[in-house]
Amino acid sequence: MFDESPQRQTPDSLMLHGFWYRALPSETVRRNRLEKAMLLEIPLVLGRDLQGRPFALQDACPHRGMPLSGGRFEDGQVECSYHGWRFDARSGQCQLIPSLTADQKMKVDRIYAGSYACEEHDRFVWVLIPEPSPVGAGFTKRPDPTTAAPLVPKFSDKYKLAYLTSDLPCSVDHGIIGLMDPAHGPFVHQAWWWRSRDSIHEKQKAFEPIPMGFRMSAHTPSSNSSPYKLLKLYADADSITTTIDFTLPSMRWETIRAGKYWFSSLTTVTPITRSQCRIDVVAAWNLFRWVPFGPELLEFVFAKFVEQDRKTMEEQSEGLKHNPHLMLIDDADRPAKWYFQLKQAYLEARRSGGEMRHPMAGPVMLKWRS
Ligand code: FES
Ligand SMILES: [Fe+2]
C-alpha cells in the first residue's frame, strides 16, 4: 500500500482558498487607522468600524486600483485618496462619488470595493479568503460566510491566553512540514531544561484520519522530557493525555490534559505569498494560574521553540533557493506526505464538485527515532 522508498517531494506551494486565515493580531488593528496585510498574495486593508468591529477590504479601489490603505477612515467609511470615492467599511458598498453632478443619476450603490468576511477571536483578526470568484469585480456584494473562524479549544471558564507570531521566509508547505516533522526535535530543539540530543529513542505513535486532516491519538507524552514529569507531579494526575490534530488548510491543534488542568494551542501557518508565510501560535491554559512566573515561563519556552524553528527555516531557505531535489521518507515524513495528499484531495473535490476522498484508509501506527 505504501511505498517504502523515499518519495520525491515537490512542494507545489499552492495556497488554498475557501478557508479562514489569521490576518493580523487584534492589537495591531486600531480604530481610525488603516492597516495593510497580505494573505495568499491578496493585498488587504484592515481597520475597525464605528463599533470597533474589524473589517477587511481588498487594498485596491474598484475605480482605478488605488490602494485604499492610502486613504482615510471616516464615519464608518473608507475614502479613496485618488478621487474621493467612499465605501462602507464592512460591506464595501460605494456610498459617494464626489465627481457626480446633481443631474447625473449613476447608481453609486451598485458599486462595491472587494470586501472580505472578518471575525475576531483569541487575539487575532481572521479573514475568510473565498474561492477566487469569476464574477464581474466591482458590482457584487460578497455573500455572508457559511462557516465561522476556528477557535482555540478551552476547557474551563478561567484561563490565560498568549500568542506568538513569526515570519518565515519559505512557502506555506515548508512551514507546515517543519511544524509536523518529528525528526528535527533532537537536533533543533536542544536545551538543558528540555531534552538532550542523547535522549533520542524509538517512538511509536498512533495516527487516525479525521475530517480534513489527521490526529495523533491521545497518549502519555514522551517520558524523556522533564517538563512533562513535572506536570504530572504538579497536576497530581494519573495520566497526561495529548492530542495533536492537523487540519487543512494549515492548522495544528494541540491539547494537553492532566486532571483538571489543561493546555491548548492552535498554531496556524498562513500563506502570505508563494514564498513567504507566517506562523502564529495562540495558546490557552489554566495551568500555573496562581504561580506568578507561570505565563512568562510558558511564553519563554514557546518563544524559544518557535525561534529555533524560524532560524532553521531561514537557513533552509538558502538551500531551497535553487530548487534542489527533495524527498520525504517513511515513517518520519509520513505526516508530511498525508498533508500533500490531503491538499490534492481537497483541490480535486473542489474541481469535480464531488466528495473529498481522504488519503488515509484508517488508523496507522508510525515509528521513528527522535
Ligand atoms: S481610484 Fe479610487 S476613487 Fe478613483
Ligand atoms: Fe520545531
Side-chain angles (χ1 to χ4, degrees):
M1 185 173 68
F2 286 106
D3 188 3
E4 290 286 311
S5 60
Q7 175 183 306
R8 283 272 188 233
Q9 177 229 329
T10 40
D12 47 28
S13 302
L14 280 177
M15 302 179 286
L16 297 184
H17 291 73
F19 291 98
W20 287 92
Y21 288 100
R22 280 176 175 146
L24 286 174
S26 292
E27 61 186 320
T28 63
V29 184
R30 276 159 290 185
R31 283 179 191 242
N32 297 314
R33 275 199 53 174
L34 298 173
E35 204 65 45
K36 286 159 75 132
M38 183 168 281
L39 292 177
L40 287 72
E41 295 186 346
I42 303 167
L44 301 172
V45 54
L46 274 76
R48 290 187 185 276
D49 66 11
L50 296 174
Q51 286 76 45
R53 292 175 304 177
F55 64 82
L57 298 174
Q58 188 166 358
D59 197 14
C61 179
H63 181 213
R64 222 115 81 217
M66 192 69 164
L68 291 172
S69 54
R72 59 192 189 115
F73 176 85
E74 201 183 80
D75 293 336
Q77 299 173 357
V78 174
E79 184 188 270
C80 179
S81 63
Y82 203 170
H83 311 95
W85 290 22
R86 284 176 158 245
F87 306 94
D88 178 77
R90 279 188 74 85
S91 68
Q93 189 177 40
C94 187
Q95 309 291 310
L96 177 78
I97 296 182
S99 66
L100 293 176
T101 62
D103 59 329
Q104 288 169 343
K105 295 286 179 247
M106 185 178 160
K107 289 206 179 74
V108 167
D109 56 5
R110 285 186 50 228
I111 298 170
Y112 284 89
S115 157
Y116 293 83
C118 221
E119 277 183 23
E120 189 168 19
H121 296 301
D122 303 325
R123 307 256 185 95
F124 269 86
V125 174
W126 291 74
V127 169
L128 176 66
I129 301 296
E131 289 294 330
S133 57
V135 284
F139 298 101
T140 37
K141 183 174 160 53
R142 75 163 159 80
D144 285 328
T146 53
T147 56
L151 286 169
V152 179
K154 297 162 195 97
F155 305 93
S156 59
D157 294 338
K158 284 192 175 162
Y159 56 85
K160 290 248 158 73
L161 197 104
Y163 81 91
L164 206 64
T165 169
S166 180
D167 291 300
L168 302 178
C170 61
S171 75
V172 68
D173 288 346
H174 281 296
I176 289 166
I177 303 176
L179 202 64
M180 58 175 61
D181 166 22
H184 75 284
F187 301 93
V188 173
H189 301 301
Q190 293 175 41
W192 62 266
W193 40 266
W194 183 250
R195 56 173 302 173
S196 76
R197 189 166 158 168
D198 301 328
S199 68
I200 192 165
H201 68 282
E202 187 169 318
K203 285 175 189 157
Q204 179 165 317
K205 300 268 155 98
F207 287 80
E208 60 184 296
I210 57 172
M212 301 283 256
F214 51 86
R215 164 169 300 169
M216 192 166 92
S217 315
H219 63 289
T220 302
S222 40
S223 50
N224 58 353
S225 68
S226 26
Y228 279 129
K229 285 186 209 151
L230 254 172
L231 173 62
K232 215 148 131 184
L233 206 70
Y234 161 84
D236 193 22
D238 300 334
S239 73
I240 304 171
T241 57
T242 304
T243 312
I244 298 175
D245 288 355
F246 171 82
T247 56
L248 286 181
S250 40
M251 297 190 274
R252 182 187 190 272
W253 312 73
E254 177 164 11
T255 307
I256 302 173
R257 304 195 68 170
K260 63 180 178 187
Y261 299 108
W262 56 271
F263 169 91
S264 155
S265 69
L266 171 55
T267 303
T268 50
V269 185
T270 304
I272 307 298
T273 66
R274 233 162 283 249
S275 57
Q276 253 181 299
C277 64
R278 198 188 60 234
I279 181 165
D280 299 307
V281 188
V282 179
W285 67 90
N286 76 341
L287 303 163
F288 308 112
R289 231 184 38 236
W290 59 93
V291 185
F293 61 79
E296 290 76 20
L297 185 73
L298 224 88
E299 276 171 61
F300 168 80
V301 170
F302 246 124
K304 204 103 184 160
F305 271 37
V306 172
E307 179 54 18
Q308 286 166 339
D309 282 327
R310 193 195 60 76
K311 268 177 104 169
T312 303
M313 290 182 198
E314 200 164 87
E315 284 173 41
Q316 184 194 14
S317 71
E318 276 303 310
L320 290 174
K321 270 183 190 158
H322 308 286
N323 296 313
H325 284 300
L326 308 172
M327 56 185 78
L328 296 170
I329 67 158
D330 283 328
D331 281 353
D333 293 334
R334 188 79 67 79
K337 290 185 184 179
W338 290 331
Y339 161 68
F340 286 110
Q341 290 164 357
L342 278 163
K343 210 168 153 179
Q344 283 313 319
Y346 173 80
L347 290 170
E348 183 51 39
R350 277 282 156 118
R351 219 176 359 249
S352 68
E355 245 179 59
M356 182 169 152
R357 281 188 46 199
H358 202 291
M360 296 169 74
V364 185
M365 196 66 91
L366 299 186
K367 288 199 303 191
W368 64 77
R369 283 169 46 84
S370 70

